[in-house]
Amino acid sequence: MSAVSELTPQMQGYVGEFMDPDNLGWLPYVMYFHPTNFRTDIVSTDDSGFRYSEARNARYSATTLNTEDPVRLLVGSSTVFGTGATADRHTLSSRLTENDPRPERWINFGGRAFNSMQELFQFLLYRHRLPPVKEVVIFSGLNDLVLSGLPSNLRGEHGGFFFSQQFFDRLTGTRATGLPWFKKGGQRAMSGTVLPVDEQVIYTSDLILRHLNSWRMLCDALGARLTYVLQPLANWVRPTGSVEEQAIFAELDTQGSFRETYRDVCSVETHRLFSNHLQLGMKEMGVRFINFTSVLAQAARPDQWLFVDRIHLTDEGSDVVAKLLLRELNQGNLT
């Protein structure tokens, strides 16, 4: 039995039927979203595709709460969605709610494979179904950085998105089959220009800051506190992970598509440049920025199993991250 299937059997719950293109929801502007009313022991979604959270003896989602009680919104992609969690109660939003002494629940507003523009559009599409929003925390960054490695013809003016190869092939009448959602290759993909890694970092930072400025204006109008958290990557946090992480990463590194997609973003130098660009831009914008890699690196024990792959968290990882994130967000001043 492989290390991945033995150590993280729950990952099978996030592929197959759940990620079958025939089961995905196809939404305007956002492009795609999770299957609706999906139910397994590992993951469940509401009638709009948002994942349920379980905390404080309650089960809730973005569209199922009393619209009068304020909430706190956790925005992001698959790490926020909770890929890797063994059940809904182990996602970041669930653990934030369980560990936060304040009354407001944290809402899982994560979209698998979303970029920063899709995160923003999803809020615009569903804001009318949300209760009053007291706080918005965007826990993101990696997808935009990975997508900046796409050729220019797939990035366009507004940045790339996952499934872009299939999308453009469908538009032009060429049906691509057997392509994984993260694949960069293909005849069309090879026709554009790929940026060097240092330029990818600048490009990504500018794109995120552009989208974040819209978040800032929206949050100012709503009276909601806004924080951007650059999510951690296992290689950024520590050079050598736990025994379990080492076994999983070694196996994943034998899979060409995974190695090809994430190789360029894994270096510590890439993280340093990326974090610095974002921090400077957000300081000028007046948006609070948290480089969570630094936070987690200081707190993580060498033997602590935090990641199911280099991006997504274990159940323990979600609990550790939630507690640290609450500490950083509030620093003794809970409001």
Side-chain angles (χ1 to χ4, degrees), residues 258-295:
F258 188 93
R259 184 173 61 251
E260 175 192 353
T261 304
Y262 293 98
R263 178 187 60 231
D264 292 341
V265 307
C266 283
S267 77
V268 174
E269 177 62 16
T270 298
H271 166 255
R272 185 188 67 80
L273 291 172
F274 192 31
S275 176
N276 286 346
H277 277 288
L278 289 176
Q279 186 170 26
L280 287 172
M282 291 183 204
K283 183 178 181 180
E284 292 179 3
M285 196 183 298
V287 173
R288 186 180 183 190
F289 171 75
I290 298 175
N291 176 12
F292 205 81
T293 291
S294 299
V295 176

Side-chain angles (χ1 to χ4, degrees), residues 82-99:
T83 298
T86 60
D88 295 334
R89 66 181 180 276
H90 294 298
T91 60
L92 278 175
S93 56
S94 296
R95 302 316 303 158
L96 284 167
T97 300
E98 200 68 63
N99 288 288

